[in-house]
Amino acid sequence: MFFAVAPAFAHDIPGEMRVHAFVKPEGQRLRIAVRVPLELLLNLNLPKRGPGYLDLPAVEESIPKAIAATAKEMLFFEDGRRLELTRSEGRISPPADRSFESFERALALVRGPRLAASTDVFWNQGYFDAYLEYPIASPQAGFAVDFHIAPGLRDRLKFDLRFLPAAGGVRAFEIPTAIGRVALDPRWHQAAASFVKSGFRHILDGLDHLLFLLCLVIPFRRIGWTLVAVVTSFTVAHSITLIAAAYGIVPRGAWFPPLVEVLIAASIIYMALENVLRPNLRWRWLVTALFGLVHGFGFSFMLQNQLQFVGDHLLLSLLAFNVGIELGQLLFIVLALPVLALLFNTARLSERLITAVISAFVAHTAWHWLVERWDTLAKVEWPAIDPATLALSLVLAVALGVLAWVLLGRPAVLRRRNAVARVEPH
Amino acid sequence: MKRTLLGLGAALAALGAALGVWQIQVGVAQADRGDRPRFSVDPFWPKPLPNLWLMGQVAGVAVDRQDHIWIIQRPLTLTDDEAGAESRYPLTGAATRTTPLSNCCKAAPSVMEFDRSGKLLRAWGGPADPGFLTSRCVAPSCEWPTNEHGIYVDHNDYVYIGGNGGPDHQVIKFTRDGTFIMQIGKSGAFTGGRSNNTNGDPHGRPLLGNPADTEVDPVTNELYIADGYQNRRVLVVDAATGLYKRHWGAYGQNPVDDTTITPYNPAVRDPNFRNPVHCVRIADDGLVYVCDRVNNRYQVFTKSGHFVSEVLYERDSLGNGAVWDIELSPDKRQRHLYNADGDNNVVSIFERRDGVLIGTFGRNGRYAGQFHWVHNLAVDSKGNIYTAEVDTGKRAQKFMPNESDHD
């Protein structure tokens, strides 16, 4: 275990650390330039001079150790096969060095002249830079990385990896340490599988979404068309906003995520209260769809950090994420319905009372969320009152009003017309 | 049907009206939009400090290459009741009490590092950091100033601190985690000015006279020192060795210590810097900006000390001077120059190219976004401005650029 971080002094709260790398398949080799903060190499105990400057000529002897430590905890794979390091070089660079802005400059730095022996590089204020080379079968193969330097740092250590595929372009990753193997250029089935898993995991982690779902299904005793319509409308609606958010069609202000979180809490309270007062099952699909739009934004926040893993398959991955969410929801419904049915059939209480009690518990929980989230929302800075945004919001509100009026008002009109039509023959 | 049509008509009319209002408002907004940048305060920056800590006077602020914000504050400036949770007051010297007074607060270490969101990442240094002055910065090689003044974090993450207490004639250099590296000058070495001293300290480095502020030129690794409250010069030393490189006074002339100092006269251009020479900043194009605080002006030089121009500002300010600290906007041309005007308690904004004043923000006061003795400022790569206040101000604030107002 070469890598470690010691909180050196009492008041130290180590900030976020980053290991930078370029990964470039070229011909029969995978070429990697990697930059590791010296703080991470604490356990190598590099030779020092003066108040703590690295003794650069003496450090040269430790370079192979540093390379071995880095390569051991940063594994590369080609089509599932672990690659073996065959060539490497390393050096120390001062903090001000900016060479890792491009692969070529990073490479030139590692291969260029070493720092003068008199250069003052403090032991924890610089970088260890290395060039690593692995033989590969084909530059078009599927590559993956398993980065697990200092796993104890978890989210505080990020691997900033820029993958330069043979076909051109740059794909950027920000991978927390020790999250397992990550495909750098996933095939469609790899992307789909990983996003189905991710969606499934996220919905089961999202207690608020599950409680909303519970409120939706309480009044239904069995799987029927109305329930299918409700669940489908929720799915379609949240898919729309989830995909829209992934394509960037979403407000960018800091106020938006807390607003969505507040609305999600509010949607649960609304649905729970409707269950208590008078479930309107006929129009539940429509209300569900409206709330589904909000929940979709909520899902998109969960998805944000995952988008780097889509490769060339953004839409497919989004759909797969949705499929994962649906599978999670179905699992929840399949588990919840029999429990509810059992409760309704065995308890000697009226259905109305049972529904009210469950809904009240849900509403109570959601109320706490609402209060907490409102606190956050109250602290965000709203955009300056910009007349354009204000007017646009007004226009949208009016347009939505018209839409709702046409959708909800029309059946009443139709009913009246039908009534007139029935009367007319007499 | 008639009702439906009526409703639809009304809705469309409302839509049309709203669109009309929108168009008019957009037009007004565009006509009103000036060229000057505007800022709004972030009242939640920094986040509440841990350990019951409370800031004293904040006498310096800097932004490092990672966009972390560093401040230096003066723990000894907390009043008895402000340091109510300390079991001893004052922190140094003879105690006037040895039991806590109240539930809050305690003095914080002098150097604090925050991220852009205001989270405290690190704190060290000074009399409020237990053991720091007995194990990590030990006199006579490392003499912590009696009144901290100015902080800078260079391109290699070294931290420089000055001081303007009576005996503070030194700049000290640390690593970012507070390991002592070097001292330039000597505490208590003299009284009065030594503006032409080049090698008087025990290591052959120059003696300083209450150095106010520092900046390192990343190209040459030279440390520029605004020197200061007793000397009247800009001093340049090697940032690695601390050895003398060059110095100059107002208009690029040799500084003079022994001229009779007459009261400031708005109608006269002083041939010398007045004390304090309060800031030095280097622009990307190589121009060096120096705050001649009480003379209500900043002067511009080349890196070798040749005078380029001066900008006069609020000439009628007769208090502590109107040019306290200078920072530049982070755009490629560094188009705007910001000045902390602690006398009039605003941040003034200049066009850097011609020194034309184009606006100010803030006002005298104690609410968020207002200032009392705004002493320093620093700008991060996103254009956020961080300010530091002394006297009874005792706080740091963050101001965010209003994106929509930028050109």
Side-chain angles (χ1 to χ4, degrees):
Chain A
M1 178 75 182
F2 285 109
F3 292 100
V5 172
F9 302 103
H11 302 303
D12 265 10
I13 308 161
E16 191 179 87
M17 273 189 282
R18 286 172 184 273
V19 171
H20 293 271
F22 290 96
V23 176
K24 186 176 167 85
E26 197 174 71
Q28 302 300 304
R29 55 195 181 154
L30 188 67
R31 309 176 76 197
I32 291 152
V34 61
R35 162 163 279 185
V36 182
L38 283 173
E39 265 176 297
L40 281 171
L41 292 172
L42 174 73
N43 286 2
L44 280 184
N45 204 12
L46 298 173
K48 299 176 189 67
R49 62 176 168 83
Y53 297 129
L54 288 181
D55 181 350
L56 292 172
V59 163
E60 280 302 313
E61 288 174 23
S62 303
I63 293 289
K65 266 200 289 179
I67 290 174
T70 308
K72 188 173 157 227
E73 302 191 13
M74 187 178 67
L75 308 176
F76 287 91
F77 301 85
E78 180 187 19
D79 290 333
R81 177 181 63 88
R82 187 175 153 192
L83 296 173
E84 294 299 330
L85 182 67
T86 52
R87 203 177 145 200
S88 60
E89 290 171 66
R91 61 164 289 161
I92 302 294
S93 303
D97 182 81
R98 305 281 290 271
S99 303
F100 267 66
E101 286 173 358
S102 76
F103 177 67
E104 287 70 26
R105 285 185 57 201
L107 202 61
L109 174 80
V110 178
R111 295 183 159 175
R114 299 292 177 260
L115 291 173
S118 60
T119 313
D120 294 334
V121 179
F122 203 76
W123 70 268
N124 63 1
Q125 287 191 180
Y127 300 111
F128 166 64
D129 294 333
Y131 170 70
L132 311 173
E133 198 174 291
Y134 300 83
I136 54 173
S138 159
Q140 272 82 32
F143 297 101
V145 65
D146 180 1
F147 176 82
H148 54 269
I149 286 179
L153 288 177
R154 295 171 174 269
D155 277 352
R156 291 220 311 278
L157 176 60
K158 301 260 170 60
F159 189 33
D160 273 347
L161 185 151
R162 275 160 289 177
F163 180 57
L164 311 166
V170 184
R171 193 161 289 153
F173 293 82
E174 188 192 77
I175 309 169
T177 189
I179 60 159
R181 203 181 294 187
V182 172
L184 300 181
D185 193 6
R187 302 285 185 263
W188 68 269
H189 54 88
Q190 287 175 317
S194 82
F195 274 82
V196 168
K197 258 191 269 178
S198 175
F200 188 75
R201 213 176 38 240
H202 275 121
I203 186 75
L204 295 184
D205 282 347
L207 190 58
D208 47 358
H209 302 292
L210 292 182
L211 283 192
F212 181 75
L213 211 56
L214 179 67
C215 286
L216 284 186
V217 302
I218 289 175
F220 298 97
R221 297 289 166 275
R222 67 185 77 81
I223 298 175
W225 284 116
T226 330
L227 177 59
V228 169
V230 164
V231 174
T232 308
S233 72
F234 183 60
T235 304
V236 170
H238 76 61
S239 303
I240 290 170
T241 40
L242 175 61
I243 291 172
Y247 279 95
I249 312 167
V250 64
R252 298 211 174 277
W255 53 272
F256 186 63
L259 176 67
V260 167
E261 295 297 327
V262 164
L263 288 177
I264 287 175
S267 73
I268 303 168
I269 294 173
Y270 174 88
M271 212 43 91
L273 289 183
E274 195 185 270
N275 283 343
V276 173
L277 300 174
R278 189 174 60 86
N280 182 354
L281 299 188
R282 190 173 168 209
W283 291 108
R284 181 154 281 199
W285 69 270
L286 185 64
V287 179
T288 307
L290 284 176
F291 285 137
L293 293 174
V294 177
H295 282 248
F297 284 124
F299 293 139
S300 77
F301 304 144
M302 299 173 174
L303 186 65
Q304 259 161 12
N305 289 337
Q306 306 289 316
L307 284 181
Q308 55 183 323
F309 304 126
V310 299
D312 289 328
H313 317 288
L314 177 58
L315 190 59
L316 175 78
S317 303
L318 291 173
L319 294 175
F321 190 76
N322 268 315
V323 169
I325 288 176
E326 292 338 311
L327 289 177
Q329 289 183 167
L330 281 180
L331 176 69
F332 179 75
I333 291 172
V334 166
L335 292 177
L337 275 185
V339 175
L340 285 173
L342 192 70
L343 200 63
F344 283 118
N345 291 336
T346 53
R348 288 183 189 170
L349 298 166
S350 77
E351 284 193 6
R352 191 79 195 273
L353 189 63
I354 297 174
T355 307
V357 169
I358 299 175
S359 298
F361 274 115
V362 173
H364 176 83
T365 309
W367 175 255
H368 281 291
W369 284 334
L370 184 72
V371 171
E372 279 168 24
R373 293 172 185 189
W374 182 263
D375 270 356
T376 314
L377 184 65
K379 284 177 188 158
V380 298
E381 199 202 359
W382 294 87
I385 300 191
D386 173 5
T389 317
L390 198 67
L392 186 63
S393 315
L394 205 66
V395 169
L396 284 177
V398 170
L400 272 178
V402 170
L403 193 70
W405 176 71
V406 169
L407 278 177
L408 296 174
R410 205 159 142 206
V413 174
L414 285 178
R415 270 201 306 280
R416 223 173 14 255
R417 277 172 62 193
N418 289 343
V420 171
R422 275 199 300 275
V423 171
E424 264 173 358
H426 300 279
Chain B
M1 190 64 193
K2 195 175 165 190
R3 207 174 137 194
T4 313
L5 283 175
L6 209 64
L8 265 177
L12 279 174
L15 197 73
L19 271 172
V21 171
W22 181 32
Q23 288 294 327
I24 292 164
Q25 292 292 354
V26 170
V28 169
Q30 279 169 350
D32 183 42
R33 184 182 296 176
D35 220 10
R36 81 177 170 92
R38 289 158 207 268
F39 295 86
S40 45
V41 68
D42 176 355
F44 302 106
W45 196 98
K47 293 182 173 153
L49 298 177
N51 309 327
L52 298 179
W53 285 344
L54 181 65
M55 284 183 198
Q57 295 175 358
V58 184
V61 58
V63 174
D64 70 11
R65 67 192 174 88
Q66 300 173 51
D67 263 356
H68 290 176
I69 298 91
W70 295 70
I71 63 156
I72 181 131
Q73 57 96 24
R74 299 166 172 165
L76 298 183
T77 61
L78 289 184
T79 59
D80 194 5
D81 64 309
E82 284 173 338
E86 289 284 359
S87 53
R88 175 189 202 282
Y89 188 87
L91 261 61
T92 56
T96 55
R97 67 170 164 85
T98 51
T99 50
L101 284 181
S102 58
N103 292 336
C104 199
C105 295
K106 292 187 173 181
S110 301
V111 176
M112 293 176 156
E113 178 188 0
F114 297 90
D115 66 12
R116 273 210 305 259
S117 74
K119 187 169 82 177
L120 181 68
L121 302 175
R122 201 192 308 252
W124 51 263
D129 183 358
F132 189 84
L133 298 183
T134 50
S135 63
R136 304 192 64 199
C137 173
V138 185
S141 57
C142 175
E143 296 167 312
W144 190 264
T146 57
N147 200 42
E148 297 88 342
H149 199 293
I151 186 167
Y152 183 75
V153 184
D154 77 6
H155 57 298
N156 283 322
D157 289 348
Y158 292 110
V159 181
Y160 301 82
I161 290 161
N164 73 332
D168 297 338
H169 300 305
Q170 73 276 27
V171 161
I172 33 181
K173 175 178 178 180
F174 294 91
T175 64
R176 63 183 299 136
D177 63 8
T179 303
F180 171 68
I181 296 289
M182 174 176 75
Q183 175 168 314
I184 301 158
K186 183 80 192 129
S187 173
F190 61 90
T191 52
R194 295 284 192 282
S195 290
N196 291 302
N197 183 279
T198 59
N199 60 0
D201 92 350
H203 299 279
R205 299 163 187 150
L207 285 172
L208 311 179
N210 282 179
D213 196 14
T214 49
E215 172 139 345
V216 173
D217 178 0
V219 182
T220 57
N221 201 37
E222 289 174 331
L223 173 67
Y224 287 61
I225 302 173
D227 181 26
Y229 277 76
Q230 291 190 16
N231 288 342
R232 297 203 260 167
R233 64 173 170 177
V234 175
L235 169 70
V236 184
V237 299
D238 185 289
T241 62
L243 295 177
Y244 173 82
K245 289 280 193 88
R246 57 191 176 276
H247 77 276
W248 65 87
Y251 299 103
Q253 303 299 310
N254 256 358
V256 183
D257 284 319
D258 53 1
T259 52
T260 313
I261 299 176
T262 52
Y264 166 74
N265 179 351
V268 176
R269 296 207 183 180
D270 197 326
N272 296 304
F273 286 138
R274 274 174 193 273
N275 293 125
V277 182
H278 206 248
C279 85
V280 57
R281 288 285 164 263
I282 307 168
D284 291 344
D285 58 13
L287 291 176
V288 178
Y289 293 80
V290 178
C291 300
D292 192 0
R293 189 170 112 178
V294 185
N295 271 330
N296 297 319
R297 66 183 178 189
Y298 65 83
Q299 293 201 333
V300 190
F301 301 91
T302 63
K303 285 184 186 175
S304 55
H306 290 293
F307 175 73
V308 176
S309 65
E310 70 179 338
V311 171
L312 310 178
Y313 166 72
E314 292 288 353
R315 296 292 288 168
D316 295 331
S317 300
L318 301 177
N320 289 306
V323 184
W324 291 38
D325 194 13
I326 283 175
E327 262 291 0
L328 306 172
S329 58
D331 53 287
K332 204 171 170 192
R333 287 184 297 142
Q334 298 187 301
R335 193 176 148 191
H336 296 123
L337 180 148
Y338 309 119
N339 164 46
D341 175 355
D343 208 18
N344 302 295
N345 286 299
V346 294
V347 169
S348 40
I349 307 170
F350 298 83
E351 286 284 355
R352 184 168 77 94
R353 189 186 50 191
D354 49 18
V356 171
L357 178 69
I358 55 171
T360 65
F361 66 84
R363 54 154 278 190
N364 197 342
R366 296 176 190 281
Y367 293 140
Q370 304 180 340
F371 300 115
H372 177 77
W373 284 40
V374 56
H375 188 258
N376 298 90
L377 44 79
V379 179
D380 70 17
S381 69
K382 309 287 181 209
N384 297 305
I385 298 180
Y386 302 87
T387 58
E389 289 161 67
V390 292
D391 194 51
T392 56
K394 298 183 179 175
R395 63 174 172 176
Q397 299 194 75
K398 174 183 180 181
F399 293 83
M400 300 175 294
N402 295 348
E403 296 288 340
S404 58
D405 287 323
H406 267 298
D407 50 358

